Amino acid sequence: MSKQTPSQTVGPFYAIGLTRETLNVMAVEGSQGERIRIEGQVLDGDGVAIPDVMVELWQANSYGRYKHPDDKQGKPLDPTFTGWGRSGTDERCFYSFETIKPGPVPGNDDTVQAPHVNVVIFARGMLVHAFTRIYFDDEAANASDAVLLSIKNKARRRTLIAQRGARDGRTVYRFDIRLQGGIETVFFDM
């Protein structure tokens, strides 16, 4: 019997090396926009929470501008907002981010995309990470977002919508990511 090497299997490396430093606080006191928390679990096909998962977010600021040199929009940048974060799952298999609600960003052909967050999921056993988006259930612009509308099955669109709630006077959006099964989250090829 041969022993598998790291090139033949994936994980559990995230909790050991990639999520030691807290990188899930993207907005601080003074960041412009509505402060929100995004949290959830990554679930397998049976609906069981998966431990040792790493979730990354990349998003625009409250004005709809990314903190990236390729974003040449005339919209303001917020120097206190990172626009990127990383969270490992905790002992209850939850990930979480302290951020702001993003503004709308330009789409193709002079369209505007609904406010959303770009997500990358890394987990043991996944040789290729998964890409998805988080939209917000209280955004009217979801009805005309080209990416959401490209998903023909309306029930599947709901897998990209975070549910707004409140805890301790703060806005919390719950977004569970399902890697398999009948209500699998919509994933995109990048």
Side-chain angles (χ1 to χ4, degrees):
M1 183 167 157
S2 63
K3 183 177 178 182
Q4 288 186 325
T5 64
S7 65
Q8 295 168 312
T9 187
V10 177
F13 305 121
Y14 305 116
I16 296 169
L18 295 177
T19 58
R20 246 185 228 155
E21 185 179 339
T22 302
L23 298 171
N24 65 333
V25 178
M26 300 164 59
V28 296
E29 192 65 41
S31 292
Q32 300 164 15
E34 178 187 358
R35 297 283 299 272
I36 64 171
R37 178 181 176 92
I38 298 174
E39 66 182 22
Q41 294 180 304
V42 180
L43 309 167
D44 66 14
D46 294 325
V48 177
I50 302 170
D52 194 33
V53 174
M54 185 174 68
V55 178
E56 287 185 355
L57 298 188
W58 182 46
Q59 70 172 81
N61 65 21
S62 63
Y63 300 105
R65 184 172 178 186
Y66 289 97
K67 189 173 188 174
H68 190 279
D70 287 344
D71 189 336
K72 307 275 190 228
Q73 298 180 78
K75 298 175 181 176
L77 279 174
D78 180 353
T80 67
F81 179 66
T82 65
W84 177 86
R86 174 183 286 164
S87 174
T89 51
D90 63 17
E91 64 282 347
R92 298 178 306 123
C93 299
F94 272 85
Y95 71 89
S96 66
F97 292 89
E98 302 298 328
T99 187
I100 52 97
K101 193 168 182 188
V105 297
N108 295 329
D109 302 323
D110 297 321
T111 61
V112 176
Q113 297 180 49
H116 66 275
V117 175
N118 300 294
V119 182
V120 184
I121 301 101
F122 303 81
R124 69 176 76 190
M126 288 177 61
L127 296 176
V128 178
H129 28 280
F131 298 87
T132 192
R133 283 183 168 192
I134 299 173
Y135 289 87
F136 304 95
D137 68 344
D138 55 350
E139 281 294 331
N142 291 347
S144 60
D145 184 86
V147 174
L148 279 174
L149 294 176
S150 73
I151 302 164
K152 300 303 177 204
N153 182 329
K154 290 182 182 181
R156 300 267 299 135
R157 286 181 201 162
R158 288 194 298 266
T159 68
L160 299 179
I161 310 293
Q163 303 302 309
R164 185 181 180 119
R167 186 180 323 115
D168 301 324
R170 297 182 56 206
T171 301
V172 178
Y173 284 94
R174 176 71 186 251
F175 186 74
D176 291 331
I177 301 164
R178 290 173 171 77
L179 296 179
Q180 299 174 313
I183 52 175
E184 174 183 288
T185 300
V186 171
F187 296 105
F188 301 99
D189 294 329
M190 298 308 237

